[in-house]
Amino acid sequence: MRKLALKDEYLLLAEKPARYIGNEINSIQKDKETTAIRMALCFPDVYEIGMSHLGIQILYDMLNSWEDVWCERVYSPWVDMDRIMREASIPLFALESQDPIREFDFLGITIQYELCYTNILQILDLSGIPYYARERSDADPIVIGGGPCTYNPEPIADFFDLFYIGEGETRYRELLDCYLENRKQGGSRDEFLLAAARIPGIYVPRFYRTEYYPDGTVSAMKPLAEGIPARIRKELVDDVSHTCYPLKPVVPFIKTTQDRVTLELQRGCIRGCRFCQAGYLYRPVRERDVDVLKKYAITMLENTGYEEISLSSLSSSDYSGLAELIDFLITECKSQHTNISLPSLRIDAFSLDVMSKVQDVKKSSLTFAPEAGSQRLRNIINKGLTEEMILEGAATAFEAGWSRVKLYFMLGLPSETEADISGIGELANRIAAVYYETVPKEKRNGKVQIIASTSFFIPKPFTPFQWAPQATKEAFLDKAYLTRKSISSQLNQKSIKYNWHETDSSVLECVLARGDRRLAPAILEVYRKGCIFDAWSEHYRHDVWMETFKENDVDISFYTTRERADDEIFPWDFIDCGISKEYLRKEWHKARSAAQASSESEQLVTPNCREQCQGCGAASFRTGICVLDKNI
Amino acid sequence: MKVRIKFSKTGVMKFIGHLDMMRYFQKAIRRAKIDIAYSGGFSPHQIMSFAAPLGVGLTSLGEYFDIELRTAMDEEAIKERLNQVMAEGVAILETTALADTAGNAMASVAAAAYEVTFAEGTVLPDGWTGQLTAFLDQPQIPYHKLTSKVSRMLDLKPLLYDSKVTEEKVYLLVNASSADNIKPIFVMKAFFESIGVTISEHSLYICRMETYGLNGDKFVPLSALTE
């Protein structure tokens, strides 16, 4: 019987003890005496969130498929257990072996959102690993960062020994072999890191120095060692149909956010929405072979016993084998009582037909993400969704029985005017009107429900809007107020509900997303003042963040509301995600001139990758859509 | 075909709550490819009925649930298949075919036997076994039930059917029916309070040894109650 790291009484005091005991179906036990490398993979948030992440499952499966590696999992102890572990001085442990993280060779942390940065420090702290990489000894694990936030790792660069930039499937074997070789030679930590820095995709922050102009902007990023690249190019899988995939994913005992089999259809997105970081980072689009996916689906359902399967990708409607795959799944799943969940589908006749087959129309809702209230602004952000498409989709859906619509918008997009904001209420109103026009009184099931939600725009690295200023907190509040006013002045206002996201954390997210190395001391200070779980609004303490920035002479407006010059060197420019800065600048200029245009017809929009290649730079990877005959 | 399944829940699995155990078995049955029957409706669910919920922190050697199969299958084969897909700490002990007339697991529960042991290093007062025996022999055993929802006085005596006290462990047979059940921890708490001793709940290990139903006026394990 496995011995747990936590005593019974601690576990029984905690909210959900199952978060800390491991033992899940398909979790991997190995003999630590006979495995050369021990790796702990961490998602720095609570278990239910972390366990829902596909990336960790992929790496867990791949690393454990190697005989000489035992890969385990660790998540942020929730605040109740955090307190218990501190009071009782219990070091953070991995779920499988229940051994302290500090005994491991590697601690790999996936960094999915900026608001988890203090949780990274919590993980290091509870593990007894020094915060700053330069203070670690040979006895400490090598701390690796991966995931989307590593495309600007600079604010947290000092806390990591190395970052793996890009998709994890490609370079881990090489990295681990390099580690084993160094150990055989009796090499030091620094010697390993130097060797690692020569592996493609690996960024070792200590071997680079950032220099600044007097105005605070970056003047240069210089490699400090021989033979390491000045720019780090992202890693990616060439052929996503022939790579590893977790066919026996770990099945949690408790309900998690994604409590189902996840089938990843493709990587990347053909659409060039100018605010969307994922749309640029994961180019080019690479589709998984539909026959491979069919096989995966059956095997994963058998190996887990899940009652639900979910299709995952940035834009599932763009997957070319979608109709065939869904037909297959519907036939397969009906007999097995398996549910199918279909997020991120564009609403059209095809998707409505499919959705009506797999879900209860009365209970489910339609989702549109127009992102902006007016066609003018949608053109500026290159969101290829028109009002006609939305109204037509809604009409078809209402006829088929739907009566709930969710709408997602962003406030504070570049060049936004009051008219654009009023457009949100007007669009919602028009959708409601369509309902009352298409559905005769006797067929109505009460009022139509329109739920409009707004979040605040956060400019992100590697998007055309990386140059754009963010609106101030005060402006955000005004915009939310205007939105509310525009909705409540509509004829159908009683059918429309309005939700908005908090402003405070959107400001912080912007600082961290476009920050540089000078932020690290402030982040550590905020953590020391007791902040963790910033992504959870009930734990987020904006005043502490702002006060600490001030104490550390960080002027947040430098990162948020400042408009960047065209030729400014960004802290993340040394990372090469495959998209050229020139291309992003061209898109930024296109957006700006679209904002000046006197009519919608004069606004230039950018076609998607399938319509016409725009030469963004991703073709240099020579794979996916870039090498297909894509002009239709 | 209806089948009654007896399983044990030991080790770290004691931290998994009742609802999560139900979800665990729903998936296990699918992994084991047992052709279970589903209810009708838009969101069909497996036809499955659990006997008495077991609190988090307790282990058990006598848990039960019933399932209904769409196609008949040998009981031993069900046991074998399920045991191949179990997590460490859960084992299928017995599978028994039920007559169509048999009551479901939950409705059949009348009593449960528990064994209470003490964590290493727990200090108990001299002569506690005699004191406990005397406590359990009283004509009435008052207990103040206090939870976030209830505060009331209970008499545990009529719900306590049998007991045996030794230095190593305490055996308690108590009512476990859905109407009138009591938890063994009530009995132990009431006793320690009566002799003015404070013992942390966490130093008591409680294991459910068996779950019983009534056959006439005799308690029989649920696995023997198949008619």
Side-chain angles (χ1 to χ4, degrees):
Chain A
M1 196 67 69
R2 289 159 69 245
K3 202 171 150 27
L4 297 178
L6 296 163
K7 285 200 280 193
D8 282 16
E9 58 177 293
Y10 297 142
L11 285 163
L12 292 170
L13 277 172
E15 198 182 309
K16 290 182 185 167
R19 287 168 174 163
Y20 312 105
I21 63 170
N23 199 43
E24 303 96 328
I25 294 295
N26 296 336
S27 60
I28 305 279
Q29 290 293 335
K30 290 193 181 186
D31 179 0
K32 66 177 173 186
E33 305 305 329
T34 57
T35 37
I37 293 175
R38 297 189 71 185
M39 163 102 71
L41 284 184
C42 172
F43 190 112
D45 206 319
V46 74
Y47 178 88
E48 294 92 307
I49 304 279
M51 278 297 286
S52 306
H53 184 243
L54 177 64
I56 293 229
Q57 295 265 16
I58 291 176
L59 293 181
Y60 182 80
D61 180 76
M62 180 186 79
L63 292 160
N64 278 317
S65 75
W66 297 332
E67 219 171 286
D68 58 345
V69 183
W70 185 10
C71 174
E72 308 185 33
R73 294 159 299 140
V74 58
Y75 303 99
S76 297
W78 186 241
V79 289
D80 57 349
M81 187 55 84
D82 177 272
R83 201 174 311 122
I84 291 171
M85 291 175 74
R86 281 171 206 273
E87 278 167 13
S89 306
I90 302 162
L92 187 63
F93 55 91
L95 292 180
E96 282 78 355
S97 64
Q98 300 274 314
D99 286 339
I101 298 297
R102 192 154 184 266
E103 293 174 8
F104 282 61
D105 297 290
F106 291 95
L107 168 60
I109 303 177
T110 183
I111 316 169
Q112 296 289 319
Y113 29 84
E114 291 81 2
L115 296 183
C116 77
Y117 289 176
T118 53
N119 278 53
I120 294 173
L121 298 174
Q122 176 211 23
I123 296 284
L124 295 174
D125 189 14
L126 291 178
S127 302
I129 300 170
Y131 300 116
Y132 285 109
R134 59 171 186 272
E135 289 168 5
R136 290 176 199 145
S137 74
D138 286 356
D140 292 301
I142 304 285
V143 181
I144 307 179
C149 291
T150 63
Y151 286 89
N152 177 20
E154 292 306 273
I156 46 172
D158 290 342
F159 308 133
F160 284 85
D161 293 296
L162 64 88
F163 290 98
Y164 182 123
I165 312 292
E167 295 170 4
E169 288 97 334
T170 57
R171 295 288 174 184
Y172 264 108
R173 191 64 253 183
E174 207 173 326
L175 184 68
L176 300 186
D177 286 339
C178 172
Y179 179 77
L180 289 174
E181 182 58 28
N182 186 64
R183 184 155 77 185
K184 209 168 96 192
Q185 305 290 334
S188 68
R189 188 182 188 89
D190 260 5
E191 282 166 314
F192 162 66
L193 289 172
L194 186 59
R198 296 186 176 123
I199 297 174
I202 304 297
Y203 165 47
V204 181
R206 74 180 61 178
F207 298 133
Y208 294 81
R209 188 177 63 222
T210 316
E211 291 168 4
Y212 303 91
Y213 288 118
D215 69 359
T217 60
V218 173
S219 62
M221 172 82 161
K222 288 187 177 152
L224 303 173
E226 287 286 308
I228 64 170
R231 294 188 80 204
I232 321 287
R233 186 163 165 87
K234 90 165 175 207
E235 277 297 306
L236 101 177
V237 177
D238 287 333
D239 180 356
V240 291
S241 299
H242 298 95
T243 176
C244 47
Y245 199 76
L247 298 178
K248 287 183 91 175
V250 178
V251 185
F253 290 115
I254 53 175
K255 263 197 179 152
T256 54
T257 317
Q258 284 285 334
D259 201 20
R260 49 188 77 89
V261 162
T262 307
L263 199 58
E264 189 191 42
L265 305 184
Q266 57 189 351
R267 296 211 177 143
C269 179
I270 57 171
R271 320 244 146 207
C273 301
R274 292 181 180 131
F275 56 84
C276 177
Q277 191 185 34
Y280 291 93
L281 292 185
Y282 307 130
R283 285 185 181 207
V285 167
R286 288 146 294 150
E287 294 193 340
R288 241 185 208 115
D289 182 82
V290 70
D291 291 322
V292 168
L293 288 174
K294 288 179 195 170
K295 236 183 281 162
Y296 284 0
I298 300 303
T299 314
M300 291 170 81
L301 287 167
E302 282 179 356
N303 287 340
T304 58
Y306 272 122
E307 324 49 20
E308 187 169 347
I309 184 165
S310 165
L311 306 186
S312 148
S313 85
L314 292 168
S315 170
S316 301
S317 294
D318 294 325
Y319 175 65
S320 60
L322 189 67
E324 185 183 342
L325 180 65
I326 290 181
D327 264 354
F328 171 83
L329 289 178
I330 288 176
T331 319
E332 250 337 282
C333 292
K334 271 264 162 73
S335 63
Q336 303 294 320
H337 300 281
T338 305
N339 297 316
I340 306 172
S341 105
L342 303 164
S344 77
L345 278 191
R346 244 194 335 279
I347 304 300
D348 55 24
F350 166 75
S351 64
L352 288 171
D353 178 51
V354 165
M355 283 157 64
S356 66
K357 281 182 193 154
V358 303
Q359 50 192 228
D360 187 348
V361 168
K362 281 203 191 79
K363 284 187 198 141
S364 64
S365 54
L366 297 172
T367 305
F368 294 98
E371 307 295 358
S374 69
Q375 195 55 47
R376 183 196 90 89
L377 194 50
R378 282 194 292 274
N379 287 343
I380 293 169
I381 63 176
N382 208 51
K383 179 83 196 184
L385 183 64
T386 64
E387 184 160 324
E388 292 67 52
M389 289 156 90
I390 296 170
L391 297 181
E392 232 165 75
T396 322
F398 293 150
E399 272 165 18
W402 271 276
S403 60
R404 274 164 56 96
V405 180
K406 286 189 203 160
L407 298 172
Y408 290 100
F409 298 96
M410 269 187 283
L411 291 174
L413 287 161
S415 87
E416 182 183 55
T417 64
E418 282 193 25
D420 297 318
I421 295 174
S422 305
I424 293 174
E426 287 154 21
L427 180 61
N429 186 59
R430 247 167 264 149
I431 295 171
V434 166
Y435 179 81
Y436 297 116
E437 283 157 24
T438 30
V439 185
K441 246 190 192 132
E442 61 278 13
K443 281 194 173 172
R444 282 178 211 163
N445 185 16
K447 274 204 279 282
V448 64
Q449 283 180 60
I450 315 255
I451 303 137
S453 304
T454 60
S455 62
F456 295 109
F457 169 63
I458 301 162
K460 294 267 166 126
F462 295 109
T463 66
F465 290 162
Q466 61 182 348
W467 283 274
Q470 192 189 34
T472 61
K473 182 183 158 177
E474 293 69 30
F476 276 148
L477 288 172
D478 287 346
K479 287 168 191 291
Y481 173 72
L482 271 174
T483 312
R484 162 153 300 291
K485 217 173 77 180
S486 113
I487 286 172
S488 57
S489 66
Q490 301 300 324
L491 190 62
N492 292 307
Q493 54 134 324
K494 286 201 172 136
S495 307
I496 310 169
K497 205 179 151 230
Y498 175 46
N499 300 321
W500 72 93
H501 189 263
E502 279 163 66
T503 52
D504 287 349
S505 57
S506 306
V507 172
L508 175 65
E509 197 178 322
C510 184
V511 175
L512 298 176
R514 291 192 294 179
D516 53 49
R517 284 193 185 186
R518 292 168 298 189
L519 297 182
I523 298 171
L524 178 54
E525 191 61 30
V526 165
Y527 170 72
R528 283 188 164 135
K529 289 179 182 175
C531 291
I532 43 171
F533 289 104
D534 294 307
W536 296 72
S537 56
E538 69 267 39
H539 294 293
Y540 180 61
R541 290 159 65 194
H542 189 65
D543 49 337
V544 177
W545 273 100
M546 293 305 123
E547 151 207 305
T548 311
F549 278 144
K550 221 172 251 163
E551 288 161 7
N552 284 269
D553 294 321
V554 173
D555 171 11
I556 63 158
S557 69
F558 177 81
Y559 300 98
T560 54
T561 52
R562 182 173 64 89
E563 178 154 353
R564 275 78 168 158
D566 272 3
D567 59 352
E568 177 168 333
I569 298 170
F570 297 129
W572 53 90
D573 276 354
F574 71 98
I575 286 175
D576 172 11
C577 78
I579 312 298
S580 73
K581 196 171 180 182
E582 263 166 69
Y583 177 74
L584 294 173
R585 195 159 27 220
K586 208 170 86 192
E587 283 290 299
W588 169 231
H589 289 169
K590 245 170 149 177
R592 288 211 297 192
S593 50
Q596 307 298 322
S598 51
S599 73
E600 282 162 31
S601 58
E602 280 172 36
Q603 290 180 307
L604 276 183
V605 293
T606 302
N608 71 47
C609 300
R610 204 162 272 153
E611 289 163 344
Q612 191 184 46
C613 175
Q614 300 296 302
C616 70
S620 60
F621 291 111
R622 292 173 207 287
T623 180
I625 196 157
C626 302
V627 296
L628 290 174
D629 180 18
K630 62 210 163 289
N631 295 319
I632 43 174
Chain B
M1 179 194 187
K2 281 201 220 166
V3 181
R4 178 154 296 162
I5 298 172
K6 179 182 186 182
F7 68 97
S8 62
K9 185 184 173 196
T10 56
V12 306
M13 291 304 289
K14 73 176 176 186
F15 296 107
I16 307 301
H18 180 63
L19 290 175
D20 291 328
M21 280 309 286
M22 291 168 66
R23 288 169 5 94
Y24 162 83
F25 273 113
Q26 284 161 8
K27 294 192 181 82
I29 280 174
R30 295 169 69 99
R31 286 195 300 274
K33 296 198 176 161
I34 289 168
D35 193 19
I36 193 170
Y38 281 78
S39 69
F42 204 91
S43 39
H45 57 267
Q46 297 180 354
I47 299 182
M48 186 185 262
S49 151
F50 274 73
L54 184 72
V56 173
L58 275 67
T59 54
S60 176
L61 301 176
E63 293 299 289
Y64 290 91
F65 67 98
D66 297 346
I67 56 172
E68 198 175 315
L69 299 186
R70 208 154 50 166
T71 38
M73 189 176 170
D74 175 56
E75 299 105 83
E76 274 307 299
I78 295 175
K79 180 174 148 185
E80 254 169 57
R81 280 213 210 163
L82 278 174
N83 272 328
Q84 278 168 16
V85 299
M86 288 296 105
E88 187 184 303
V90 190
I92 307 299
L93 305 174
E94 254 181 282
T95 41
T96 335
L98 293 184
D100 284 344
T101 51
N104 77 37
M106 186 183 268
S108 305
V109 176
Y114 294 91
E115 201 172 86
V116 183
T117 50
F118 304 95
E120 217 176 295
T122 310
V123 182
L124 297 165
D126 284 344
W128 72 272
T129 50
Q131 286 174 306
L132 178 55
T133 310
F135 176 81
L136 297 173
D137 280 346
Q138 301 172 92
Q140 282 189 330
I141 306 175
Y143 173 70
H144 183 208
K145 186 172 182 179
L146 183 69
T147 67
S148 53
K149 285 180 201 136
V150 232
S151 167
R152 64 184 167 117
M153 288 309 292
L154 278 181
D155 179 13
L156 302 178
K157 185 69 182 186
L159 306 173
L160 173 68
Y161 302 135
D162 194 11
S163 62
K164 194 178 164 207
V165 182
T166 66
E167 282 291 337
E168 291 75 38
K169 58 193 179 199
V170 178
Y171 170 86
L172 298 168
L173 180 68
V174 300
N175 186 312
S177 68
S178 48
D180 251 341
N181 66 84
I182 55 167
K183 293 179 178 169
I185 191 75
F186 294 175
V187 178
M188 297 309 289
K189 267 193 188 165
F191 164 64
F192 285 119
E193 260 168 48
S194 76
I195 59 165
V197 170
T198 332
I199 295 266
S200 155
E201 254 181 63
H202 305 298
S203 43
L204 301 184
Y205 292 145
I206 302 174
C207 179
R208 186 187 272 166
M209 306 303 286
E210 182 59 270
T211 309
Y212 297 97
L214 273 177
N215 188 0
D217 56 358
K218 268 175 62 186
F219 289 130
V220 292
L222 284 189
S223 51
L225 207 65
T226 56
E227 295 296 317

